[in-house]
Every structure is written in structure tokens, then in C-alpha cells.
Amino acid sequence: VNFHFTRKCNYECKFCFHTETSTYLAPFEDIKTALSKLNDYGLCKINFSGGEPFLHPKLLGQMVEFCKRDLHVGSISIVSNGSKITEGWLEKYAKYVDILAISCDSFDHETNVNSGRRPRNYLQSSNPNYGGGAKTQFDVLDRVAEWCNEFDIKFKLNTVVHINNHLEDMSDEIQRLDPYRWKVFQCLLLDGENRGPDAIRDAQDMEVSDEQFHDFIERHKKKNCHPVPESNKIMKDSYLILNEQLCFLNCTGGRKVPTESLLKESVEKVLSQCGFDEKSFEARDGWYFLQDESCNSSVGDIEDL
């Protein structure tokens, strides 16, 4: 399960497809109820995403601790822009986290700034920075990569390929950082999120063609960077996305349509409404990660943007 428990974010990425359309944050007791139901149904792996999950450090810590200590979930991961992660949080909660994925779309600072991969007040600030002394997103990456090594967490990178970065060669920095896994997504448009009159973002000018995405992937494969690609076709229906209202999101129609809530209905009924495509999950190499006896199989890759 990929749990987008908050839509709040301190960055303003122009291509974001899970935007701040809601400020709701579920009470921890409701979250425990929903996750316990999923665990009873066979939850093997959970990823916490947003928005930016580290804008709610206390709740995030409670959730990873509950999932690992009480539910014994096989693998727990977090996707973050990295800017709000602190060493103090990791000292307390790292033992409950298996994978930490950081988003970085370019190793050219201006490309990140122009694409919105930066703090919201960055352009207006007299001392623009990415938090904690970091001047760029690369500084954030280096800091988190060091902490992951220190606290024995697998370090993962997520990259969105869009019109501003599709010609870039990131191979030197990818090889230097040596992430456990490098997930590369094609910029995805969804109505009500980053496309259409009711959307907060308009990412239509950020979209890349299938050929441009393919060329980016092949360029880095040749440099032995081992990108794990996800095209729009593969990505759209291959994730179990749980939103802040504890509903799954059905994306089959090009828009995120919520199912009924896990607080009100059975897991089986809610899953039947979410449009999850198991074949697409398998096509994106979903069954890649670790062997977990409680699941009796290898566990899938569910880290999202």
C-alpha cells in the first residue's frame, strides 16, 4: 500500500500529480484502524508519501513505529523531498524504516528551481536555501544519503522525467550516490491534479513523449546507472494508493476517484473499487525487493513520487 497520508507540501513542483487539494489529516487512531484492517488482509509492505510526509514528523514517526512494532509489516518505506528530514528524527525512528527514497529530477540547480523542485519561498527569500544549511537539492541528497548509511536504511532515488530534464545526463552523480534503487518516472498528467480547469497545477507543458522518456532511460542504461523505468502506461493503474481520507484512489479514467473508506467498508470491497491492475504491477518489476516469510513471497516495489 502506498499511503499518501497528507497532501501538504513545502515544495511546488510544477508537474506534481498529487497536489494540495485537501488539508485533511486523519487522526492517528483512525489510521491505526485502517492499517490494522489492511494488515489482517495480508499487508506486506507500506510506503508513506505525500505531499511531504516530514511536515508531520510526530505522526509519521507514530505510523512507522506502529507498522513495524505492532503490525510487523515486512517492509516500511518513505518518499520525501528530503528537506525536512532531521538527524534527531532518524535517531528515534530509523529502526522502523527500511527504505528512504528522496526525489531529485536534475543535477542542474537552475533546472530544479525552474521546475519547482524547491521550497515555496525560495524565489522570494533573501537567503534562499533548502533547509538545514543545504543550498541545493543535491546538498539535501548528500546529507540524507550519509544519514541512511549511518542508520542502516536503504537509500533510494526517485526522478521524474519532464521537458526540462529529459536531455540531461545524470550518470556521474547517480554513480557517485550509488542508490540502492533508482526509480525513473515519466511525467504523468491527471485531471484535477495537474491538468484541467479544476487542477492546482498545469503540467501540460512539462510532458515528454514516450520516445523522449525512452531515450533518457537508454542513455543511463548505457552508463550502468540501472534506472528502473515507469512509463505513464505502466504507472497509472499499478499502485494501490491510499489517500488522506483512508480511501483508495482509482486512476483508471485519468482522474483520481476515491473509493469508499476503509473505516466504513471491508478491505475486500474497497479493493474491488480501486482499479488496481496486477499485470501492470508485474510489468514494472513490482516483485523485486525482499523475501518476507510472513508474506510467503517476495514483496513488491510500491514507492511512489
Side-chain angles (χ1 to χ4, degrees), residues 280-292:
S280 293
F281 174 78
E282 293 173 352
R284 68 173 175 84
D285 189 29
W287 302 108
Y288 89 95
F289 179 47
L290 53 78
Q291 294 290 329
D292 181 13

Side-chain angles (χ1 to χ4, degrees), residues 123-259:
L123 295 178
Q124 293 76 37
S125 175
S126 59
N127 180 32
N129 66 84
Y130 280 65
K135 293 294 184 180
T136 67
Q137 185 67 10
F138 339 130
D139 295 335
V140 172
L141 286 178
D142 286 342
R143 181 175 66 198
V144 176
E146 290 177 6
W147 284 338
C148 284
N149 183 61
E150 178 183 350
F151 291 102
D152 196 26
I153 300 173
K154 289 180 172 60
F155 175 68
K156 182 173 176 280
L157 275 182
N158 284 356
T159 294
V160 179
V161 178
H162 51 72
I163 199 65
N164 293 344
N165 70 351
H166 73 96
L167 294 176
E168 185 173 341
D169 185 347
M170 300 170 63
S171 55
D172 288 346
E173 290 298 320
I174 296 297
Q175 291 171 356
R176 181 184 68 82
L177 287 166
D178 191 26
Y180 165 72
R181 190 167 172 89
W182 181 31
K183 181 69 73 65
V184 182
F185 303 91
Q186 184 179 6
C187 179
L188 177 67
L189 303 185
L190 287 175
D191 291 336
E193 297 285 355
N194 58 10
R195 178 178 62 190
D198 57 340
I200 292 177
R201 300 273 194 275
D202 183 0
Q204 293 180 86
D205 61 350
M206 302 290 287
E207 192 176 19
V208 293
S209 66
D210 292 344
E211 182 180 4
Q212 289 169 323
F213 180 69
H214 174 78
D215 288 348
F216 182 95
I217 296 299
E218 291 304 309
R219 183 183 316 128
H220 291 88
K221 280 184 176 179
K222 291 176 182 177
K223 300 287 185 69
N224 294 317
C225 293
H226 311 293
V228 180
E230 286 194 19
S231 66
N232 288 346
K233 181 179 179 181
I234 292 297
M235 181 174 20
K236 185 166 67 72
D237 302 325
S238 65
Y239 285 90
L240 283 172
I241 301 176
L242 188 67
N243 76 355
E244 72 281 2
Q245 301 281 352
L246 303 172
C247 306
F248 282 109
L249 296 176
N250 186 323
C251 302
T252 56
R255 174 185 290 270
K256 291 180 176 178
V257 179
T259 65

Side-chain angles (χ1 to χ4, degrees), residues 46-63:
I46 188 165
N47 176 61
F48 295 97
S49 187
E52 171 49 49
F54 281 93
L55 290 177
H56 305 282
K58 179 180 178 181
L59 178 60
L60 180 62
Q62 289 175 318
M63 291 190 297

